[in-house]
């Protein structure tokens, strides 16, 4: 099994910055992709950013130019640097990992428990 531990959420004023991290541990053969999704009340969960094993990234349109995703492969950890935060960025942010736990097996998707980010004055 794969366990995900998220950290870094909290309260920040508009225009401020926060960084999130998510460390994956457990039985991991390889990680295909690591990323972040978010969900606010009454809305569907949406992609924030994802980084693949080769280093390519996809960033959601609503956060382009403000959020940066990075990854430390040696630590199986993904980071999300969030700058110029807006009230509409307020949401629960979930870490997402697509990983293979054993050679010859297909990938599975794992989710973190979520961390609250609140942008408010």
């Amino acid at each position: 099994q794969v366990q995900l531990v998220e950290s870094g959420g909290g309260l920040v004023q508009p225009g401020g910055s926060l960084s999130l991290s998510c460390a994956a541990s457990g039985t991991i053969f390889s990680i295909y992709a690591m990323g972040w999704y978010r969900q606010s009340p009454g809305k569907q969960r949406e992609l924030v950013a994802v980084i693949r094993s080769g280093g390519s990234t996809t960033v959601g349109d609503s956060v382009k130019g403000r959020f940066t995703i990075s990854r430390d492969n040696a630590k199986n950890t993904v980071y999300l640097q969030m700058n110029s935060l807006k009230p509409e960025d307020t949401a629960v942010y979930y870490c997402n990992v697509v990983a293979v736990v054993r050679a010859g097996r297909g990938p599975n998707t794992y989710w973190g428990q979520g961390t609250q980010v609140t942008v408010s004055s």
Side-chain angles (χ1 to χ4, degrees), residues 8-75:
L11 172 65
V12 65
Q13 292 187 342
S17 298
L18 275 178
S19 62
L20 305 180
S21 65
C22 172
S25 62
T27 305
I28 300 173
F29 177 72
S30 65
I31 295 179
Y32 282 17
M34 304 182 81
W36 295 91
Y37 288 71
R38 68 185 183 186
Q39 188 168 22
S40 52
K43 294 187 177 182
Q44 288 189 332
R45 191 172 294 190
E46 65 170 348
L47 171 71
V48 177
V50 62
I51 184 166
R52 300 170 188 84
S53 57
S56 65
T57 61
T58 298
V59 180
D61 289 340
S62 61
V63 304
K64 273 182 183 175
R66 301 187 296 122
F67 291 12
T68 302
I69 189 168
S70 61
R71 176 175 166 176
D72 185 332
N73 290 330
K75 296 181 179 180

